Amino acid sequence: MGELLWLIPALPFAGALLLVLFGNRISRALVSVIGVGSVGISAAVTLVLGIEYLSSRPAFIRQEVWQWFDVAGFSPSIAFHLDALSMVFIFVITFVGFLIHIYSTEYMAEDKDYARFFACMNLFVGSMLMLVMADNLLLLYLGWEGVGLCSYLLIGFWYKEPENGYAARKAFIITRVGDTAMAIGLFMLFQQFGTLHIQSISTEAAQVWSIGNETAMIIALLLLGGAVGKSGQLPLQTWLPDAMAGPTPVSALIHAATMVTAGVYLIARMHVIFALSPVAMTAVAVIGAVTLLIAGFAALTQYDIKRVLAYSTISQVGYMFLALGVGAWSSGVFHFMIHGFFKALLFLCAGAIILALHHEQDMRKMGGLSKKLPVVFYTFLIGAASLAAFPLVSAGFYSKDQILWLQLAGENGNIWLYLAGLLGAFITSIYTFRMVFLTFYGEEKTHVGHKPTWAITVPLIILGVLSFAGGFIELPHNFGHVVLFSDFLAPILPAVTMVPDFNQYEWMLQLLAAVVSLGGIFIAYLYYYKKPELIESIHRSEFAMAIHRFWHSGWGFDQLYDTLFVRPYVYLSKVNKKDFIDSIYTFIANVTQNFHELFSRTQTGVMRNYVAGIVVGAIMILTISLLL
Amino acid sequence: MTLTDFQHLMPLLILTFAVLVSMLVIAVGRNHKIMYVITAVSFLAAFASLFELRDVGRYTIEPLLVVDGFGVFYIGMILLTALLISMLSYAYFEQREERKEEYYILLLLATIGACVLVISTHFASLFLGLEILSVSLYALIAYLRTRERSDEAGIKYLILAAFSSAFLLFGMALVYASTGTMEFAGIATAIANFTELPLLLLTGFGLMIVGIGFKLSVVPFHMWAPDVYEGAPAPVTAFIATVSKGGVLGVLIRFFMEVDGFRYPTLVLIFTIVAIASMLAGNLLALLQRNVKRILAYSSIAHLGYLLVAFLTGNQMGVEAVTFYLVAYFITTVGAFGVVAMLSDKERDAEQLEDYRALLWRRPWTAAVFTVMLLSLAGIPLTAGFVGKFYILAAGVNTQLWLLVVMLALNSVIGLFYYIRIVAVMFQQADAEVEMEPRGRLRPSIYLASVGTLTILTLLLVYIGVYPTGLLQVIEGMLAVATP
Amino acid sequence: MILVWLIVILMAGGVLAWISGKINRALPRWIALGSVLAVFGMTLYLWLSNPIPVLDSAWLIQFNQPWIPQWGIDFRLALDGLSLLMLLLTFFLGLLSVLISWREIQTKVAFFHFNLLWVLAGITGVFLTMDLFLFYFFWEVMLIPMYFLIGIWGHENRRYAAFKFFLFTQASGLLMLLAILGLYFIHGRQTGLYTFSYFELLNTTLAPEAARLLMFGFLAAFLVKLPVVPFHSWLPDAHSQAPTAGSVILAGLLLKTGAYGLLRFVLPLFPTATVEFAPWAMLLGVIGIIYGAILAFSQTDLKRLVAYTSVSHMGFVILGVFSFNEWALQGVVMQMITHGLSTGALFIIAGFLYERLHTRDIQKMGGFWTTAPKMGVIALVFVMASLSLPGLGNFIAEFLTLVGSWQANNWLTVFATIGLVMATIYSLRIMQKIFFEANRMEQALPDLNAREMLIAIPMVAMILWLGLYPQPFLDTARPSIQEQLQAYTASPPPPVAMSQLTPQVQLTDTIRLNQILKASRHDPD
Amino acid sequence: MSAIPMETGLLLAGVLFMLGLISVMIRRNIIFMLISVEIMLNAAGLAFIVAGSHWAQPDGQIMFIFILTMAAAEVSVGLALILQIHHQLKTLNSDAANFMKG
């Protein structure tokens, strides 16, 4: 088994290549076949391999395609590594990716750059698979940058608008900042271990370093830098809301389900290094907690439905970081998977709405869509419930509850982190249902144009089912105690060390979480459906509006970075456009020229001056010869 | 004077004879072509007679002259250069209606002067050689007497040269007064007896340097050079730049090697200052100059500075370097002025930069030749100038004259600018208004000699640049016996 | 002899091309194409026919003929892996240069090709010669035709640019000549053998003071050529004013001669002086990376922009060279090749645009993707190469360089890595301004035609090959790199020297690494 | 025979030389400049004779004869040129002959 492994990323790459080369010359139908088909076959291969993997349960499968290069012992390969962790990611990427591709055939049907869209999407899927299947960090880095490129290309897909291009560049550059940190991390890892092979590093690191090792800490923090950039976490989160400039399927696939969780994958993959450094772990958890709060509050104030979802994504990835930060590796990954389902679903629903409303994204201009778009409405409701962690029936409840629970029950947990998570959950349910109420209830404000057909509805339904049922593979101890998922990951990711004798409080905490979630929904119901005048009162308060603006702008990070980095850089560049060093040479040239003019003046053409010149020379020579 | 003495002075005798014959021919009837042939043949004959003297060793004609390898080589160099210049002169003078024939007599005379210079070992012969050269030059410079500039250049050169000769003579007198001899060897012996050089002698040397410096046109005695170069007819300018300077440099080297002047820090210091000043002033003056002949004048000032660097090393390698550089410099300068002469018409010389605009497209081969000459002056590889400069640098580094060497390198860069500038002008696109061939020209066959000469010069330049071994062997062989 | 033929064919081809211009306007192009193809074929043959050489003899072919015996100057050519790679690059880009000039150059076609071939010949000589005099000789020979290329067929400000280029390179070259002479005499006095032979001069023992001075002489030439800030100011002018083929050769090849010189001469000749100077050199490299990147961002002239990116990328070269380890040097060699390709390609694209629009001002461009998607894709590939996207050759180069330089100096490597972010900033601006946004021009931009695709496709293929399977190139370079490093392997650069410049990150397990390195060095694979 | 000391003789020659030199510098008329140069040459000749008599050799006097000859030749060429200049410039002011400069 495993011979087929290389096909999984190769197929999308091949699709991309075909589309780049011939995309403009073949029919749309063929483009769709290639674009969707390549990912579809890839998903099928994943399924086959997954079944094989589950049945035989090897520790991992490795396939080396070729040796990339070999320089003085630095010999990374183009090699794939399949274990439980990558399995989960591959599964989400290929299947969700496949669904979104299908969805796109309808969503992008009218676009004239149809082939380019699918080429980029395929390229993205390929790179993302490369990222999660890489057996060494350099190959991972290849995928890592590759998805960055695709993200750039797809955010700026509608390139005629300068703002889109701006958003695209912003995304690429900011993630590149994180990547740079990560690259330095790789240099250090290589220096320490002489290899970038992930398995070797993990094995050796545990032997070489003891907990609290400084080098391990620096490396972990640097890797975290990369993760933070890619996953839109504080302080590099500002690109993600703007990334919504891309087509909605892109937002669903790249900026919700897969790419932004690459950071989670990286940390989970390198958990040995992280586990060696308590400082780094704390940093991960704190970043997660702060991000989820900040993004949650920002989401509350957005009007653009995609921006709400974008902030929500930041916030939910914050939960994953929170989980990782306390060592709850598998909980983080679990939440990733569930989030992948429901957030993709929500984005795709939003896309269907946007398509129906002639590319209207402002929620204030939506409303009353529940009747017009019933499939969208119900699937959206499932997604929203999952996002808001609606108790018991939603998948999101189980995954999020696990994270919150481990904040207290886990050894590395902390009451403050727990409270932050809880508050976050409360806000989450408010903004989620704010969205639901604003969009689907009330009166219809914009005429519904395009009604979704099967290509949109089928993916929605499938994702809806997953968002609902996905949670049942991992249930709490006191509630069925299903541990299929964490068992699956157990060989790779160690379980959380629990605080002893804490289990009896679990039901209390679950209850609390449920109350918080329902409370949030109720508040949203109150403010946005029942009594809209309450909102009016908020709008009248100066202070509240100031906060509203502050949150709306994403806590002012954009302005801050603009002042701190962007403007000085641009200024520095513009002010020195002519290159001041050049003027040094110009100065030298001018001095020489001045000398020329000075000397030229001595050549008067008057003979007596020449005589005088000779005499002066003679005097000088005599002076020298007589005095010295 | 014995017969062997005459044998050893054969080249000079041939030239003198040629002068006499020329005068007679003119008396019989003027014919440019005949004069031209006589001159060329006599130069060739004189040069051929040198082969007899190739292994002369060191033959002294007491007390004035010495014929040795060094002298033979320099005479050969001078004769060949004079030959080439006379070849280039034909077309140049043919288009002028003035009397052209005496030009060749003067040229022969001046060449004799230069030859005497390089084999002189006595102040008297030095003086005689120098004056034969100078007086001929006065007439040569002002030869095209209807041109205002020619006269102005002539009178400037005359007054200033006589003025500097006075310095030289007074210096000689003082040296004679303090040593009691006018022979180089005698002076060397006399000096060797002094523990400290007496004031009189130092003053004498100082004054002599003024005189020599003037002829070499080194700073601060250089000011005449651009004006004279500009005013004189192009072939004469080539002559001044090469033969006249080469002869003087030859005698300077001989004198200095003989008396071993390098022992005296004062003299070395003076020459060092002069060298640096010449390089700097020459190059800076040429920088934005728009008159090609003046540019070449300034560049020759700088090149004399370079030569002095090698001269200052004061050893065998230095002398060889000077000699090699001189060869390269002679070829290049003659070539450059040859191009100028070729492009000149009967009203004026082609001396403005504008005259060279788009030359590469109008007359590609002439432009190519000029480019090669300029690149050689700039010291770019594939030309003799590069090997020469390399030799000088090597000699300088070998003796660790770091200051001079670095100054040389720096100045080469400044120099590069104006050489390249001319090249740049040549490949500029022609303006629409500029006529492609502005002047009525002579029959092409008249230019045959010029074209042939320039081609030979170019080939020679490249040959030496690519394969200098042959020339090096000759120089080493000839000079080995000469320097004590 | 084959080495001599390489040079002779090019030179003869040049002369022939010039002469043939009188007969037919198209003939020079074909002659040039033919001669470059011939030498390219010969080099390819050399590459393919020589299996990866074993460690103890890095030299594949040697040719020796006394030239000026009086001075110990030989016409000495030798080929090792490094030279071979450089030659492949030279002729590959040479071939493209002929092709891109096919339509661009319409005046003085014959003379153009003469110069083109002679530049290539000079560069070939530089990469092959193992006699220092001859090296200087070729070093200068390649300048003149380049000067003509810029000065005659360049853009509006060509004369200024040509002058600047010439003066900068000459001035620095003369300093190198002095250093060569110094070395020659020191060696001569020591051994009594006066020779310019590289192999002999390698054995010179130098007093530290002398070594330092001589090294600076060599460095002067190479740092200006590379170029390193603050000696870079000739480059933006020369690159932006040259015709496309000139820019390609300048960026792709002439800069590489500087890097080559560092590797070939500075490293092995002055092992102690370089170690002393290393922190400063690396600092210069980092300054170059950052300074070039910042300036590239604000340029509006496309070719000028690309020129500044070259300044930035060449910073990696000096950073790597002075790290003295195999990773960094392999990175440097890769950087030489990949930068030659990627920057060359960007200049070619600029040339394509200029041919169509007659402007290089990116503020007047925009939205070309709509009508010229092929050009857009190709530009995208090379823009991505320029920001060193993994999978393309530049990534391997820069990553290896940084891995290597990290071993030598942590903080400087950190700043160099930040340069990658800046590369992203300026690179994306290129795409944005030219291919994205709305079209500001009235006319529609025609897409690439078949000839242009013929130029572009091989470059894309090469850059992908170099990014995905660079091993053949690395293998070819390895023996010569190890040879250059011989003087350094015994003693790794003392950390003391580096800590003077920058505070070091505390590292605990560096010894381990050294063990790994040693193990891997003995291991043939 | 009580010889005049050489130093005195040389001093006289020096003074003569300086006189000539200064007058070359201050005179504008070309003829006067030529005359002044002749004075300088004669000063050199005088110095030769003094030196020759000091060493009791004929060499100094021979040199003087050479100098005289040379001066004569020079003057003849010089006067011819001056004539030509006067013909063209209508003046003998040497400062007027400054077409070539820079």
Side-chain angles (χ1 to χ4, degrees), chain A residues 249-307:
Chain A
V250 172
S251 311
L253 180 62
I254 301 183
H255 304 116
T258 53
M259 187 188 86
V260 287
T261 52
V264 177
Y265 174 78
L266 179 70
I267 295 174
R269 184 49 88 194
M270 303 307 293
H271 68 272
V272 178
I273 306 271
F274 279 87
L276 284 169
S277 165
V279 177
M281 290 294 276
T282 314
V284 174
V286 170
I287 286 176
V290 176
T291 311
L292 74 88
L293 283 178
I294 285 183
F297 282 114
L300 265 181
T301 57
Q302 304 301 322
Y303 295 112
D304 182 327
I305 187 167
K306 284 180 72 180
R307 280 182 89 83

Side-chain angles (χ1 to χ4, degrees), chain C residues 187-433:
Chain C
H187 178 263
R189 299 231 165 94
Q190 263 172 22
T191 60
L193 178 66
Y194 285 90
T195 174
F196 283 96
S197 162
Y198 169 72
F199 302 108
E200 295 291 338
L201 291 176
L202 278 181
N203 306 323
T204 320
T205 28
L206 292 165
E209 190 59 33
R212 212 170 298 141
L213 283 173
L214 294 180
M215 178 189 72
F216 281 125
F218 278 89
L219 277 182
F222 300 142
L223 295 194
V224 169
K225 204 55 149 280
L226 200 51
V228 166
V229 174
F231 310 115
H232 66 283
S233 93
W234 63 271
L235 182 135
D237 288 312
H239 280 40
S240 56
Q241 297 302 325
T244 308
S247 302
V248 170
I249 290 180
L250 267 175
L253 301 174
L254 248 69
L255 306 192
K256 307 306 174 294
T257 59
Y260 173 84
L262 286 177
L263 283 177
R264 177 71 80 210
F265 298 105
V266 175
L267 284 195
L269 283 173
F270 312 106
T272 47
T274 46
V275 172
E276 270 173 43
F277 183 63
W280 299 103
M282 292 173 79
L283 181 67
L284 283 177
V286 170
I287 290 175
I289 292 172
I290 291 176
Y291 191 82
I294 291 179
L295 259 91
F297 177 67
S298 61
Q299 301 305 317
T300 46
D301 179 335
L302 177 57
K303 287 178 85 173
R304 214 175 164 77
L305 195 164
V306 180
Y308 275 109
T309 71
S310 285
V311 174
S312 183
H313 285 131
M314 289 296 105
F316 283 99
V317 168
I318 183 162
L319 183 76
V321 167
F322 282 89
S323 305
F324 315 121
N325 55 52
E326 199 177 330
W327 303 297
L329 289 198
Q330 285 281 23
V332 167
V333 173
M334 282 298 284
Q335 177 80 335
M336 287 157 81
I337 300 171
T338 57
H339 175 263
L341 288 172
S342 67
T343 309
L346 287 177
F347 275 123
I348 289 174
I349 288 164
F352 290 165
L353 287 170
Y354 188 83
E355 251 178 67
R356 290 163 167 75
L357 309 168
H358 302 289
T359 181
R360 305 188 305 272
D361 189 348
I362 54 174
Q363 282 172 326
K364 294 183 185 152
M365 303 180 189
F368 294 160
W369 193 295
T370 318
T371 51
K374 286 188 220 159
M375 195 196 284
V377 170
I378 284 155
L380 181 69
V381 169
F382 289 104
V383 162
M384 287 305 142
S386 137
L387 59 79
S388 80
L389 188 84
L392 303 174
N394 301 51
F395 169 72
I396 307 283
E398 281 170 20
F399 196 86
L400 279 175
T401 309
L402 289 170
V403 161
S405 74
W406 175 265
Q407 321 292 331
N409 194 321
N410 296 336
W411 278 109
L412 288 178
T413 310
V414 169
F415 285 111
T417 318
I418 290 174
L420 292 182
V421 179
M422 298 179 164
T424 318
I425 297 174
Y426 64 68
S427 303
L428 296 185
R429 184 161 167 269
I430 301 177
M431 279 314 281
Q432 183 69 21
K433 290 280 174 193

Side-chain angles (χ1 to χ4, degrees), chain A residues 66 68-72 138 145 159-160 176 180 187-188 191-192 204 209 573 576-577 579 582 585, chain C residues 164 230 232-233 291 294 298-300 308 327 370 387 406-407 421 424 437 467-468 471 507 512-513 525:
Chain A
W66 74 80
W68 198 352
F69 59 85
D70 174 13
V71 175
L138 199 65
E145 294 279 332
Y159 54 81
K160 299 251 168 186
R176 207 88 206 278
T180 301
F187 305 152
M188 287 189 77
Q191 189 181 31
Q192 296 302 314
E204 285 207 42
W209 285 328
S573 181
N576 192 24
K577 183 183 171 189
D579 197 351
D582 199 34
Y585 296 104
Chain C
K164 206 168 176 182
H232 66 283
S233 93
Y291 191 82
I294 291 179
S298 61
Q299 301 305 317
T300 46
Y308 275 109
W327 303 297
T370 318
L387 59 79
W406 175 265
Q407 321 292 331
V421 179
T424 318
E437 298 187 4
L468 293 174
Q471 200 57 37
L507 296 169
R512 269 188 55 79
L513 178 76
D525 274 316

Side-chain angles (χ1 to χ4, degrees), chain A residues 303-304 361-367 434 438 445 552:
Chain A
Y303 295 112
D304 182 327
Q361 303 195 5
D362 193 332
M363 290 195 293
R364 285 170 299 189
K365 298 191 180 137
M366 298 174 183
R434 169 175 176 260
L438 282 179
K445 290 173 191 144
H552 184 79

Side-chain angles (χ1 to χ4, degrees), chain A residues 69-132:
Chain A
F69 59 85
D70 174 13
V71 175
F74 180 25
S75 50
S77 293
I78 306 276
F80 301 118
H81 177 91
L82 183 74
D83 62 7
L85 180 59
S86 34
M87 197 75 218
V88 174
F89 275 84
I90 295 169
F91 176 72
V92 173
I93 294 163
T94 51
F95 276 85
V96 176
F98 178 52
L99 293 175
I100 293 175
H101 272 74
I102 293 175
Y103 176 94
S104 306
T105 54
E106 182 174 343
Y107 190 86
M108 299 301 290
E110 301 301 316
D111 204 285
K112 62 183 172 49
D113 279 329
Y114 193 68
R116 178 161 65 96
F117 179 81
F118 277 101
C120 293
M121 288 293 267
N122 275 2
L123 189 62
F124 169 78
V125 173
S127 310
M128 190 68 207
L129 287 167
M130 208 71 147
L131 194 164
V132 297

